């Protein structure tokens, strides 16, 4: 599959399975956005992902309706 020019929003992307999903979408060419409660949470992901222009860690609490909007 080719995900170039597509964006994947991956909730739970800093958890155990989420990290695998983030890496796979990234390997397949997708832009990857991960909502995180604290920007520092993205540090658990590999530098090859987090240092890329194709990655965005979005501070958001998905249990907060205002943050989701």
């Amino acid at each position: 599959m080719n995900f170039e020019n597509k964006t994947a929003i991956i909730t739970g992307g800093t958890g155990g399975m989420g990290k695998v999903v983030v890496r796979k979408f990234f390997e397949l060419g997708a832009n990857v956005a991960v909502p995180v409660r604290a920007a520092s949470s993205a540090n658990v992901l590999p530098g090859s992902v987090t240092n890329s222009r194709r990655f965005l860690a979005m501070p958001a609490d998905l249990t907060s309706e205002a943050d989701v909007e």
Side-chain angles (χ1 to χ4, degrees):
M1 294 186 117
N2 182 345
F3 285 92
E4 289 188 36
N5 299 315
K6 305 287 184 192
T7 300
I9 300 171
I10 303 170
T11 60
T14 58
M17 288 296 294
K19 289 186 270 189
V20 174
V21 174
V22 167
R23 273 193 300 258
K24 189 61 178 178
F25 271 95
F26 194 78
E27 288 170 6
L28 294 172
N31 300 311
V32 177
V34 177
V36 293
R37 288 190 182 185
S40 61
S41 298
N43 293 338
V44 300
L45 296 166
S48 60
V49 172
T50 58
N51 293 329
S52 171
R53 292 179 51 190
R54 295 182 15 230
F55 177 78
L56 173 65
M58 305 173 301
D61 179 352
L62 298 183
T63 64
S64 165
E65 188 174 339
D67 280 7
V68 172
E69 286 181 20

